[in-house]
Amino acid sequence: MTDTKVVLVTGASRGIGRAAALACARAGMQVIATGRAQKALEDLDDEIRRVGGLPATIVPMDLTDFDAIDRLGGALFQRYGRLDGMIHAAAHLGELTLVAHATPRMGEQMIATNLTASWRLIRSMEPLLIQAPASRVIFFTSGVAHHPRAHWGLYAATKAGVEAMAKCWADEIEFKKVVVTVLNPGGVATMMRKNAFPGEDQATLPQPEHLSSLILELMSESHTQTGTTVHFRETEHYRAWQSAYQANA
């Protein structure tokens, strides 16, 4: 069994998922990158190679294809026999609208992508994660999960559900040396954020790569507290970005 850590990153084609995949690759990990856009995943692999990382294993897939998640788990078991980490960054914002005005199709898509896919990933990847000596898992949440407001109902509900499920799972498998963290990135300059706040000046926000050092910290063996929520804006990593931003303003 190789000592190289094997990490699955969902939503790796752009935004925080892409930044996380690059950070892990730079740190010497073998990245399994999933996303819906094959070209974007190929571009990610090209960049990983340029920075000296191990060639990524790219898996174009839609996480609402739940059978594909199971097949991925089986393929990873056959190839690696374990999974040292999972960073589940894929998410679907949907249309911000009144709860009563959301169409069934839109609601079902959001629940499938944000909540059901998270459960199916847990179900398929747990056997691999518990084979690693010290695996680390990151899920992402949002401020609206704890501070609900108009037009965010379905997204807030799915994120609150993911957070609750992740923490229940963390409690179930703590003895397996799997450390589960829920990360709230706050406002970050991503396409999803731009869609939610089209008038916002994204130059005033951290870029996805500014989360990289925190993500690597949460993926390290020194991070041992499971079932916690970490708020990026309450960490030294955010304060470092803030100081640099203010110095250059």
Side-chain angles (χ1 to χ4, degrees):
M1 180 182 291
T2 177
D3 291 333
T4 302
K5 291 185 177 180
V6 181
V7 177
L8 172 65
V9 183
T10 72
S13 57
R14 65 183 186 182
I16 295 173
R18 189 177 194 277
L22 278 167
C24 290
R26 285 194 180 98
M29 303 180 201
Q30 173 64 65
V31 173
I32 316 300
T34 77
R36 289 183 297 174
Q38 180 167 339
K39 178 62 168 60
L41 292 175
E42 291 171 351
D43 291 344
L44 169 65
D45 181 43
D46 289 342
E47 186 163 352
I48 285 175
R49 293 169 188 255
R50 281 196 297 270
V51 300
L54 296 170
T57 298
I58 61 172
V59 186
M61 62 181 290
D62 187 329
L63 287 179
T64 61
D65 182 349
F66 304 131
D67 290 340
I69 293 177
D70 289 344
R71 290 194 297 270
L72 177 60
L76 293 178
F77 179 78
Q78 289 183 347
R79 185 164 181 178
Y80 300 106
R82 73 179 198 282
L83 198 56
D84 298 279
M86 180 171 74
I87 301 172
H88 181 32
H92 180 58
L93 177 65
E95 181 182 345
L96 298 180
T97 186
L98 300 172
V99 172
H101 291 185
T103 66
R105 181 177 180 181
M106 185 187 77
E108 289 163 6
Q109 176 72 19
M110 190 174 298
I111 292 168
T113 304
N114 294 350
L115 185 57
T116 309
S118 298
W119 161 57
R120 294 298 295 260
L121 281 165
I122 290 172
R123 181 177 178 274
S124 295
M125 302 305 158
E126 181 186 284
L128 291 163
L129 290 162
I130 64 178
Q131 291 301 313
S135 55
R136 301 291 182 263
V137 179
I138 300 175
F139 291 91
F140 288 84
T141 189
S142 168
V144 293
H146 297 278
H147 303 285
R149 59 181 182 268
H151 305 110
W152 288 80
L154 289 175
Y155 183 77
T158 58
K159 283 300 182 180
V162 167
E163 188 166 349
M165 180 169 57
K167 291 184 177 184
C168 290
W169 180 50
D171 198 42
E172 293 167 2
I173 60 168
E174 183 176 8
F175 69 100
K176 297 288 189 180
K177 297 183 179 179
V178 181
V179 174
V180 181
T181 305
V182 177
L183 175 56
N184 180 4
V188 177
T190 63
M191 183 61 69
M192 181 182 291
R193 177 79 181 186
K194 187 174 183 178
N195 290 337
F197 301 96
E200 186 176 45
D201 180 4
Q202 290 207 327
T204 64
L205 299 174
Q207 297 295 316
E209 54 268 26
H210 291 126
L211 277 75
S212 297
S213 58
L214 174 58
I215 287 171
L216 289 179
E217 179 183 298
L218 298 177
M219 295 297 287
S220 71
E221 292 184 17
S222 62
H223 175 60
T224 58
Q225 190 172 6
T226 193
T228 60
T229 298
V230 174
H231 298 268
F232 172 56
R233 294 195 172 217
E234 297 176 1
T235 67
E236 61 184 21
H237 305 274
Y238 175 75
R239 289 190 288 273
W241 168 81
Q242 193 175 41
S243 296
Y245 173 77
Q246 291 171 347
N248 294 323

